Amino acid sequence: MGPRRSIFKKPRGKGGGGRQQQGYMSKDMKKKLKKEQAGRPPPTRFQRSLKHIERAQEATQAQKRQIEAERKYRQESNASFGGGAFSSSEEEEEEEGQADGEDGTAFEELAVEFNGPLGRTVIDSADESEEEEPVDEEMDEEEMGEEEEVDGEDETAGMADEEEEENEDEDEALKLGSEASESEDEEEELEEEDPNDLSTDDDDDGAETNDPYMQHTAFNLSPAMLETIAAERPRVEQSKLSFPGLGNVLVELPKCGTVGKRPEPRGIFETERYAKPGTLPTVPDPDAPIDWKALHVKDKIARNITEPLDALQRDTFAILNAYQDLHVTQRSFENADRFRYVYCLHALNHVLKAVSKMQHHTVKLQAAKAAGRKRKKPAEDQFRRKLKVATVDEEPSVGLECRDQGFVRPKVLIVVPFRESALQCVTVLKRLFAGEGQEKGVLNWKRFTEEYGGASMAFPRKNPKPADYERTFAGNIDDNFRLSIAFNRSTMKLYAKYYSSDMIIASPLGLRMAIGAKGEKYRDYDFLASIELLIVDQAEVCYAQNWDHLLHVMEHLHHQPKSTEYTEFSRVREWCLSGWSKFYRQSVLLSAFELPDFRSLYNKHFRNYRGKVRTVARRDQQAAGTIRRVVVPVAQNFQRVETSTLDGAGLARFAHFVNVILPQARTVAMARCMIYVPSYFDYVRLRNHFKKEEISFTQICEYTPDGKIARARDMFFHGSKHFLLYSERAHFFRRHRIRGVRHLIFYGPPVFPHFYPELVNLMMKENQNPQDGVDDASMTVTVVYTRYDTYQLTEMVGMERANAMIKAPRSVHRFSTDQK
């Protein structure tokens, strides 16, 4: 018979291991324990790694104690014989050297064996400068297969049996090392990506560079400059320049006497460098060839510029490329495409520079992180040699810092009124980015053309609309849209997510809907926190839609984000963290004429520290107003309303109309009188007053249905109603040809100056009712104005006449058709 087996399991290892500590467990107890463990979450890879590291350290310490005990026992046994009776001094030294060698070699081999799976090696103080060699480079395929199987079981079945864990301790340690080495190899592959495609500019933000983008965004504002531009009324220095294409311009630069001096050192490592103030824009030579490289335009864009720029485009790009604000009041249908081409070129150049800079910095940060991970020697490791302490003479190392972002990614905002305008902007961007006819690098292009293209509204051919109306409302005129675009080195992605995009093209209404109103539960305007370039095109159309929408957007720019989900604070620029983003934003406003609202936006919200530029019409252009286009022989009376404040101008105008003009207009001789009201608020005030006084009138505004409009026009033409209240926005969006007008009263000067001759010329004989019995010589035109309507009067009658009408002692001025 063989040896009798014990019914008890023998404990493993020395001291019985984990089984002896827990004691014998029956099958029922094991099942109960497994049920308890099944309810727990499975151990993570990090927890298993810590367990194996602790066991490896315990084994290393035990081996070290054993080697130390053997060395001491050998020395004591040799010393007990005394005087070296059996060994000479050379032999003794030899044995000591061997003992020491065994000690050091065994310790280092054990350290390499157990620390190797974590990618760590022991480096002597003499060899600290040498690169460390990878450990466990060779790995059997069987072990790699076992690793995948064990990982799969752990993820699906949870915690394995305790006996299997103890049997696989050594395998798990080796597998952990192989996984760590694989992850490092993947990171190295990412780091090996060629950074030459990312940026061709100077990569050192602190180096001297002539790139306007770097000069504008790389440095903070000096205290003197900040005090100057942050004042309620910034101190500016005005200068006038003459451009061959734009004409006369007025340049306003912040006036700061202490800017440019070297400041005190900021810290131990560097000296604070402040942003340079703006200078007068350079007037380009219209005949000289354009060197795009000297203008710091990206090569990807420059090779797609096939058409030469004219004088107007050169002047505009010279101002935009200097990162100065610009307000143009000479936009028209003839030069609209040229302006659009220039600001799209500048916006795309700005975005590609920012994207290239961020991508290049990302590669540098990844490389620095990988290099730091390889050189890292944790001080808490007990088996490491102590880290070398830096001496006083050595300069301490500073981590790589790249400040190249804002709070969020969107950096360019283009505001246009209609989808058709957005379609034209994206078409220009596509041509500059991918080339003519190239759609491969533009994602979602087909979907974009389907949603933003489409047929335009039908225009009547029998009684055609004015030419400017058809050109304004050509194409898709939907005014509620938002389009976000993300750029990469080779792709232009349309319909990207807000916080993953670089450029947003939207209408004022679309932005207002996205931002929300005060008091709403769900509001989001964090995507406007880091806008660096703002472009508002066709400002007069945005004004006709609703100017409050655009003002609402301006008030929500550069707020502190409520959520930090999309913010990487280690790369946010310091001036952005300080709340100075509004001083770095470049703003562009394009309009067909000047208005007090446009000038208010320019003075209040255009705070660029580089300065701002606005166009000024020449006197010969301002001498001729739209009143010269009136062909109907009718007397035109301008009545000035005296008021001392802008807030009281509305009440003063209403009082003058009710007390002076309305009693005369209610007479029978003033039948068929149309009252043109520019503001909708004044329109509502007059309508309520007419209803209260029970005056015979009909009305047409932008909210009137088509059926009521037709009925109101018919009643007014046949004389059923004495007055017709007509709002300016109704005329802008519908451009009705009102017939039968004998007397025309402008409650205020028209915002659109070409509406004045258009409405007055409706009083010609072809549009009158021959049965009304009114003499053509009795027709009149009356315009009510105040001293705050200077811009509208200038567009109507010219600058000299407008100034005379504002300052003249008499309040009534009369013009005739033949007067020049």
Side-chain angles (χ1 to χ4, degrees):
M1 293 179 64
R4 186 177 180 181
R5 296 184 179 179
S6 173
I7 61 174
F8 300 102
K9 290 185 177 180
K10 295 182 180 180
R12 287 186 185 176
K14 296 181 180 180
R19 288 293 177 180
Q20 193 175 18
Q21 295 175 4
Q22 295 181 3
Y24 174 75
M25 298 178 63
S26 63
K27 292 183 179 180
D28 296 335
M29 295 176 65
K30 286 183 179 180
K31 290 181 180 180
K32 185 177 180 182
L33 180 61
K34 286 183 179 180
K35 288 182 180 180
E36 293 178 356
Q37 292 176 348
R40 304 175 186 174
T44 62
R45 187 180 299 276
F46 178 70
Q47 293 174 347
R48 296 197 301 270
S49 302
L50 288 180
K51 180 179 179 182
H52 297 314
I53 291 172
E54 291 174 358
R55 292 184 179 180
Q57 290 177 353
E58 291 177 1
T60 306
Q61 291 176 357
Q63 185 71 16
K64 182 179 178 182
R65 288 194 298 269
Q66 182 180 358
I67 294 173
E68 186 67 21
E70 290 178 358
R71 187 177 64 83
K72 290 182 180 181
Y73 174 75
R74 191 174 300 159
Q75 290 178 356
E76 291 176 359
S77 62
N78 291 337
S80 63
F81 290 98
F86 297 95
S87 62
S88 63
S89 60
E90 295 179 359
E91 294 175 355
E92 188 173 351
E93 291 176 3
E94 208 170 49
E95 290 179 359
E96 290 178 3
Q98 290 178 359
D100 294 340
E102 290 175 2
D103 181 13
T105 305
F107 172 69
E108 292 179 1
E109 289 178 355
L110 288 171
V112 169
E113 180 181 357
F114 290 100
N115 293 338
L118 298 179
R120 302 174 181 173
T121 56
V122 178
I123 301 177
D124 296 336
S125 59
D127 301 328
E128 287 180 357
S129 61
E130 296 180 1
E131 297 180 358
E132 64 174 347
E133 299 177 358
V135 182
D136 292 339
E137 292 181 353
E138 299 179 357
M139 200 69 173
D140 295 339
E141 296 180 358
E142 297 179 358
E143 294 176 351
M144 295 294 291
E146 291 176 2
E147 175 190 356
E148 295 177 358
E149 293 177 1
V150 173
D151 292 343
E153 293 175 0
D154 291 341
E155 293 175 359
T156 57
M159 181 181 293
D161 191 32
E162 202 169 294
E163 294 180 1
E164 297 177 358
E165 284 187 358
E166 292 178 357
N167 293 334
E168 295 175 356
D169 284 346
E170 297 179 358
D171 295 334
E172 288 291 338
L174 293 175
K175 291 168 187 176
L176 181 61
S178 63
E179 291 170 2
S181 61
E182 287 177 3
S183 61
E184 290 181 359
D185 293 340
E186 292 177 359
E187 291 179 358
E188 289 178 358
E189 290 179 1
L190 293 175
E191 293 166 5
E192 289 175 358
E193 187 177 4
D194 186 12
N196 294 332
D197 297 335
L198 300 180
S199 178
T200 58
D201 304 327
D202 191 2
D203 298 325
D204 189 2
D205 293 346
E208 291 292 340
T209 176
N210 294 326
D211 190 354
Y213 171 77
M214 294 304 302
Q215 291 182 351
H216 181 65
T217 61
F219 307 105
N220 294 330
L221 297 176
S222 64
M225 174 65 73
L226 182 63
E227 182 181 358
T228 300
I229 61 179
E232 185 176 355
R233 290 187 177 181
R235 299 187 298 271
V236 296
E237 183 177 358
Q238 297 183 351
S239 302
K240 289 186 178 181
L241 294 177
S242 179
F243 283 83
L246 283 176
N248 298 331
V249 299
L250 181 65
V251 184
E252 297 182 8
L253 301 177
K255 187 177 181 181
C256 184
T258 59
V259 175
K261 295 183 179 181
R262 284 288 179 182
E264 296 294 331
R266 184 185 176 194
I268 302 175
F269 314 113
E270 60 181 354
T271 301
E272 174 73 2
R273 294 182 58 194
Y274 293 132
K276 296 181 180 179
T279 58
L280 293 177
T282 304
V283 180
D285 186 1
D287 299 328
I290 301 178
D291 186 1
W292 295 112
K293 188 174 182 180
L295 294 174
H296 300 277
V297 176
K298 301 287 288 185
D299 295 337
K300 185 177 183 62
I301 303 176
R303 61 172 174 259
N304 294 325
I305 301 177
T306 57
E307 300 178 359
L309 303 185
D310 57 10
L312 178 65
Q313 293 175 319
R314 292 191 181 199
D315 297 346
T316 307
F317 186 77
I319 298 174
L320 295 181
N321 198 39
Y323 281 90
Q324 293 178 325
D325 294 345
L326 177 62
H327 176 26
V328 177
T329 59
Q330 302 171 3
R331 185 191 183 279
S332 61
F333 294 106
E334 289 72 22
N335 58 23
D337 294 336
R338 293 184 285 168
F339 278 120
R340 185 182 298 109
Y341 187 85
V342 172
Y343 71 67
C344 287
L345 169 63
H346 176 63
L348 182 61
N349 189 42
H350 178 85
V351 168
L352 292 186
K353 286 182 179 180
V355 171
S356 299
K357 184 64 64 178
M358 287 189 296
Q359 291 178 347
H360 182 81
H361 284 171
T362 300
V363 172
K364 290 175 65 176
L365 289 173
Q366 290 179 354
K369 184 178 180 180
R373 185 169 57 249
K374 291 180 180 179
R375 292 192 300 266
K376 186 177 180 181
K377 292 184 285 186
E380 64 273 8
D381 193 345
Q382 302 177 9
F383 311 109
R384 295 277 182 173
R385 299 182 184 273
K386 293 185 178 180
L387 298 176
K388 185 179 178 182
V389 181
T391 60
V392 179
D393 298 336
E394 292 182 354
E395 183 179 356
S397 60
V398 183
L400 181 62
E401 185 181 42
C402 298
R403 298 286 183 175
D404 54 8
Q405 301 178 12
F407 288 114
V408 291
R409 182 172 173 179
K411 54 186 67 68
V412 175
L413 176 62
I414 300 179
V415 181
V416 288
F418 301 123
R419 285 181 181 258
E420 175 65 21
S421 304
L423 174 64
Q424 296 177 6
C425 290
V426 176
T427 303
V428 174
L429 291 171
K430 169 183 167 294
R431 186 165 69 248
L432 291 173
F433 182 81
E436 188 70 32
Q438 298 294 330
E439 300 179 3
K440 184 177 180 181
V442 183
L443 304 181
N444 301 323
W445 174 253
K446 184 178 180 181
R447 173 189 171 187
F448 171 75
T449 54
E450 292 176 355
E451 294 184 3
Y452 283 76
S456 61
M457 60 183 299
F459 299 109
R461 297 293 93 187
K462 184 177 181 180
N463 294 318
K465 301 287 185 181
D468 64 290
Y469 179 83
E470 294 187 359
R471 298 181 69 174
T472 301
F473 294 95
N476 192 336
I477 57 172
D478 181 21
D479 60 348
N480 186 4
F481 64 91
R482 298 176 297 274
L483 177 68
S484 52
I485 309 175
F487 291 90
N488 206 336
R489 287 172 293 170
S490 58
T491 58
M492 171 182 171
K493 182 180 180 181
L494 306 177
Y495 296 99
K497 295 182 179 179
Y498 274 172
Y499 294 95
S500 300
S501 63
D502 299 291
M503 182 184 299
I504 297 177
I505 303 177
S507 64
L509 178 59
L511 291 173
R512 181 69 179 266
M513 297 291 289
I515 294 172
K518 187 176 180 180
E520 294 183 2
K521 185 176 181 180
Y522 300 103
R523 302 186 64 193
D524 184 17
Y525 47 86
D526 289 350
F527 63 93
L528 301 175
S530 300
I531 297 298
E532 301 172 2
L533 177 58
L534 172 65
I535 300 173
V536 181
D537 195 6
Q538 295 178 269
E540 69 280 358
V541 181
C542 296
Y543 182 88
Q545 290 176 342
N546 196 333
W547 189 246
D548 289 339
H549 293 340
L550 185 59
L551 296 180
H552 188 76
V553 174
M554 298 299 296
E555 292 173 357
H556 288 80
L557 288 174
H558 308 300
H559 283 216
Q560 192 78 13
K562 295 182 179 180
S563 174
T564 60
E565 180 181 358
Y566 306 97
T567 305
E568 188 176 355
F569 285 99
S570 61
R571 299 181 65 174
V572 178
R573 297 187 178 99
E574 293 184 6
W575 49 263
C576 191
L577 294 172
S578 302
W580 301 342
S581 299
K582 60 182 178 180
F583 303 131
Y584 283 81
R585 186 190 72 235
Q586 183 184 19
S587 305
V588 181
L589 181 65
L590 304 177
S591 63
F593 44 81
E594 184 71 281
L595 276 181
D597 303 83
F598 301 161
R599 183 64 64 86
S600 175
L601 184 69
Y602 176 81
N603 294 332
K604 182 179 179 181
H605 294 281
F606 287 24
R607 308 293 292 272
N608 191 353
Y609 79 93
R610 302 281 294 179
K612 52 187 179 181
V613 182
R614 63 178 177 89
T615 57
V616 179
R618 295 189 296 267
R619 289 190 173 272
D620 56 347
Q621 296 176 346
Q622 295 176 342
T626 58
I627 194 174
R628 286 194 164 193
R629 304 177 190 173
V630 176
V631 296
V632 177
V634 58
Q636 305 165 50
N637 300 317
F638 289 77
Q639 300 183 15
R640 188 179 67 213
V641 178
E642 301 297 337
T643 177
S644 58
T645 61
L646 180 61
D647 296 336
L651 292 176
R653 192 193 305 269
F654 178 74
H656 178 82
F657 177 82
V658 171
N659 299 326
V660 178
I661 298 178
L662 187 59
Q664 300 176 3
R666 296 182 66 174
T667 60
V668 179
M670 293 284 290
R672 293 181 175 84
C673 177
M674 185 175 74
I675 304 175
Y676 180 86
V677 188
S679 174
Y680 182 75
F681 300 103
D682 294 333
Y683 172 86
V684 173
R685 178 181 290 175
L686 288 179
R687 183 191 63 187
N688 295 339
H689 178 75
F690 278 27
K691 288 182 178 180
K692 182 180 178 181
E693 297 294 330
E694 297 181 354
I695 299 176
S696 174
F697 80 102
T698 186
Q699 57 181 332
I700 298 176
C701 69
E702 58 271 26
Y703 304 109
T704 307
D706 293 339
K708 290 186 177 181
I709 291 176
R711 192 158 51 250
R713 294 175 62 185
D714 182 74
M715 288 188 295
F716 181 75
F717 179 76
H718 290 93
S720 300
K721 298 295 182 180
H722 189 92
F723 291 101
L724 171 63
L725 287 181
Y726 191 45
S727 68
E728 185 175 54
R729 291 179 65 187
H731 188 70
F732 175 81
F733 286 106
R734 299 177 181 270
R735 202 66 67 89
H736 291 299
R737 185 174 297 178
I738 308 297
R739 301 176 59 193
V741 179
R742 288 294 185 177
H743 302 277
L744 180 59
I745 298 176
F746 288 91
Y747 190 77
V751 173
F752 294 84
H754 60 281
F755 284 179
Y756 178 78
E758 181 179 330
L759 292 171
V760 174
N761 290 333
L762 290 177
M763 302 171 67
M764 62 180 54
K765 191 173 183 179
E766 289 80 1
N767 295 327
Q768 301 297 337
N769 187 353
Q771 299 178 1
D772 59 4
V774 180
D775 187 9
D776 296 340
S778 62
M779 296 187 301
T780 60
V781 175
T782 305
V783 182
V784 181
Y785 70 94
T786 66
R787 56 181 296 188
Y788 300 104
D789 298 328
T790 305
Y791 296 113
Q792 295 92 315
L793 285 177
T794 301
E795 297 290 341
M796 289 173 56
V797 300
M799 176 177 287
E800 295 182 358
R801 290 177 178 175
N803 292 334
M805 293 168 61
I806 294 295
K807 300 177 181 179
R810 57 191 179 95
S811 59
V812 179
H813 302 269
R814 184 168 182 172
F815 297 92
S816 60
T817 304
D818 56 351
Q819 185 177 1
K820 296 182 180 180

